[in-house]
Amino acid sequence: MHIVNKFFLLLILGITMSCQIGKIEKESNLISVSILPEKYFVERIAGDDFKVNVLIPPGASPATYEPTPMQMRDVAKSTAYLKIGYIPFEKVWLNNLVEGAGDIKIFDLSEGIELIQGKEKHGDHFHEGGIDPHIWSSLKSAKILSANLLQALISMAPDKKNLYEKNYQKFMSEIDSLNQSAESAFFKKKGMSFMIFHPALSYFARDYGLRQITVELEGKDPSPTHMKNLVEEAKERGIRKVFVQKEFNVENARVIVAEIKGEVVSIDPLSENWLSEMKRIIDILKD
């Protein structure tokens, strides 16, 4: 995040909105979200009752994306913002996004989820404290997230309560079915390691007793020493695949798979077609 860029965007938004005071009207069926899977969750429960403004577009990283002035204006027009919880985008931008949005409701979809604490760097030392934000990359966490979402949607459209609850139950049945399949597939694979560039599957790994090994180191490309250690660990544990999300550079992963005679596998936990992508990830890991 470049402070100058952030200041410039906020300045543009401030000028635009100050010149149009009274012209930006709320849209009763417009809600804003951070990532595409949230749009999928909304549509599974509420159908097309709401227009969903997704801030982070396909292929962009929640750690580095900067919203456009038009996106900021769409947040101002929204009646609610559904935050995923702890992604860097929200930590940097959310307060600014909703500051000039007037009467807007904020719902935190991470409530009730047992969050994974990571290591946070302060100067030359680390301490426990950083929260892993990737709660949507877990079927079990997604159920809690969806329950929070259901209540948020009902609060916005109470007359649709019965319909939303019916849609929610159908969605939960599909998640439960896939989760049972995953538990069966990974029952004898507990402790199995997999390698991934960015640690997007921490909650997924916790669900099924798997071990996630990350190529990225403290949010940065790995050092030569770390790369050497990764290659050695991959060989030791029989790892032949390195997962890479499309938001990240694949070159380091290619270096590793060349050494282990493996393959780079592209995954997309931020896919709008969330359930299908989760099934695909499970199928790849269980083989």
Side-chain angles (χ1 to χ4, degrees):
M1 169 61 59
H2 298 291
I3 295 176
V4 174
N5 288 350
K6 182 180 178 182
F7 174 78
F8 180 68
L9 284 170
L10 293 174
L11 180 62
I12 291 176
L13 179 66
I15 294 172
T16 301
M17 294 182 70
S18 65
C19 292
Q20 299 184 18
I21 291 175
K23 293 183 180 180
I24 297 180
E25 297 182 0
K26 291 288 184 183
E27 295 184 21
S28 60
N29 70 331
L30 177 63
I31 56 180
S32 289
V33 302
S34 298
I35 58 175
L36 280 165
E38 290 178 279
K39 181 175 185 287
Y40 176 83
F41 298 146
V42 170
E43 291 175 346
R44 286 304 308 264
I45 296 173
D48 59 1
D49 282 358
F50 292 91
K51 185 164 63 172
V52 184
N53 171 41
V54 182
L55 274 293
I56 303 171
S61 169
T64 58
Y65 184 70
E66 299 176 0
T68 67
M70 183 59 71
Q71 287 177 316
M72 290 177 164
R73 191 171 185 276
D74 285 340
V75 172
K77 291 159 61 178
S78 301
T79 58
Y81 195 107
L82 307 175
K83 59 180 288 191
I84 201 70
Y86 293 89
I87 59 174
F89 173 83
E90 291 174 350
K91 291 175 71 174
V92 173
W93 286 101
L94 188 57
N95 287 340
N96 295 119
L97 286 169
V98 303
E99 191 173 296
D103 185 18
I104 185 171
K105 298 177 181 177
I106 309 297
F107 297 96
D108 185 351
L109 302 184
S110 71
E111 289 183 1
I113 294 174
E114 184 181 349
L115 300 168
I116 294 175
Q117 299 285 334
K119 287 185 175 180
E120 219 171 33
K121 186 172 184 180
H122 284 260
D124 60 354
H125 66 281
F126 292 85
H127 72 83
E128 297 299 320
I131 294 175
D132 189 308
H134 305 94
I135 57 173
W136 67 92
S137 298
S138 152
L139 297 174
K140 295 178 182 180
S141 295
K143 289 188 65 176
I144 301 173
L145 186 158
S146 297
N148 292 334
L149 174 59
L150 171 65
Q151 295 308 313
L153 294 172
I154 290 174
S155 74
M156 289 183 277
D159 56 319
K160 296 293 187 73
K161 180 177 184 291
N162 291 338
L163 175 61
Y164 292 173
E165 287 180 342
K166 181 180 178 181
N167 293 343
Y168 165 79
Q169 291 299 337
K170 182 177 185 299
F171 184 31
M172 292 304 99
S173 294
E174 293 178 29
I175 291 180
D176 285 339
S177 178
L178 184 56
N179 180 55
Q180 288 173 8
S181 175
E183 288 184 334
S184 176
F186 298 128
F187 179 74
K188 294 183 179 180
K189 292 178 178 284
K190 291 191 184 300
M192 181 190 78
S193 299
F194 64 91
M195 191 168 288
I196 186 170
F197 183 85
H198 178 75
L201 298 179
S202 306
Y203 291 87
F204 181 97
R206 181 178 70 180
D207 286 349
Y208 307 114
L210 307 179
R211 182 169 180 269
Q212 175 181 253
I213 302 170
T214 59
V215 176
E216 186 183 64
L217 190 62
E218 302 162 26
K220 300 177 182 178
D221 285 343
S223 66
T225 299
H226 185 53
M227 286 286 285
K228 181 176 181 292
N229 292 338
L230 287 170
V231 169
E232 291 176 354
E233 188 165 13
K235 289 179 178 179
E236 179 184 334
R237 298 181 181 279
I239 295 172
R240 291 290 178 267
K241 297 173 182 175
V242 179
F243 294 111
V244 178
Q245 302 93 307
K246 64 183 182 181
E247 297 82 38
F248 299 96
N249 192 316
V250 303
E251 292 308 313
N252 287 310
R254 285 176 178 157
V255 171
I256 294 170
V257 299
E259 292 291 328
I260 64 175
K261 296 180 174 55
E263 62 178 317
V264 174
V265 179
S266 177
I267 61 172
D268 188 13
L270 287 168
S271 170
E272 182 176 348
N273 199 348
W274 175 82
L275 195 63
S276 293
E277 183 62 14
M278 292 302 298
K279 181 180 185 303
R280 178 174 167 268
I281 291 170
I282 290 168
D283 287 341
I284 294 169
L285 276 169
K286 72 182 184 182
D287 288 343

